[in-house]
Amino acid sequence: MKKHHTIILVLGLLLSQSASAATPAPTRLRTDLLENTATLWNNGHPMSTTLADSPTPDAATQYAVIRSSRPTLSWTLPAGTPAPANCRIIVADTPEGLTNLDKALWDSGRIPLNGASYIRYFGTPLSPATTYYWKVQTAEADGAESDWSEMATF
């Protein structure tokens, strides 16, 4: 009976180590090198409402404006994470478009990174005064994928 408990314990440890070794999701998403593009400001102070909550802010609200129709999308991986081999980015004009790919403006498919952690957007040209949503997933050369990042807006 002890032999079975030992085998189960060892298998459990191996499974937990492989689960914890998964590639971490990208964080600190940036658009044209700007972080916090979802933050709304009032007189220089961050507001509790985000761009995702209020996609058409009023005139008294300050927010980052991305003027490029093809912005650069970048991210950070936790320290010690090996450089991924490729990534996949989804951009949409609604949060639902990130999960319902029929509504996405751009699904990049797998793009080789060659050591970079940024990609220029090459989907449908973006329009001014519109809120966009995006997320990224990275993958290692062996195909191991990270979780999707949190949604970012700009």
Side-chain angles (χ1 to χ4, degrees):
M1 194 67 154
K2 275 190 168 188
K3 190 182 268 188
H4 289 106
H5 288 289
T6 304
I7 292 172
I8 291 171
L9 179 63
V10 169
L11 285 174
L13 287 172
L14 289 173
L15 289 173
S16 69
Q17 284 179 345
S18 66
S20 65
T23 305
T27 60
R28 298 184 60 207
L29 277 60
R30 296 176 298 279
T31 306
D32 277 349
L33 301 178
L34 294 174
E35 195 170 355
N36 303 317
T37 52
T39 303
L40 298 179
W41 306 81
N42 190 337
N43 294 323
H45 299 284
M47 298 171 59
S48 59
T49 304
T50 67
L51 192 56
D53 300 328
S54 178
T56 53
D58 62 36
T61 304
Q62 299 93 42
Y63 52 95
V65 176
I66 306 300
R67 298 193 185 280
S68 172
S69 63
R70 300 207 184 278
T72 298
L73 306 172
S74 58
W75 56 90
T76 302
L77 295 174
T81 303
N86 55 58
C87 73
R88 180 179 176 196
I89 297 173
I90 298 175
V91 177
D93 55 6
T94 65
E96 297 77 30
L98 296 180
T99 53
N100 181 351
L101 297 182
D102 291 337
K103 296 183 179 185
L105 296 174
W106 187 49
D107 179 351
S108 70
R110 290 278 171 230
I111 300 174
L113 288 172
N114 300 319
S117 60
Y118 59 89
I119 292 293
R120 180 161 306 275
Y121 171 82
F122 277 108
T124 304
L126 303 178
S127 302
T130 304
T131 299
Y132 294 99
Y133 307 83
W134 71 285
K135 65 181 181 178
V136 61
Q137 179 185 53
T138 59
E140 297 175 16
D142 66 4
E145 297 177 335
S146 73
D147 289 332
W148 283 98
S149 67
E150 297 291 324
M151 175 183 73
T153 56
F154 65 94

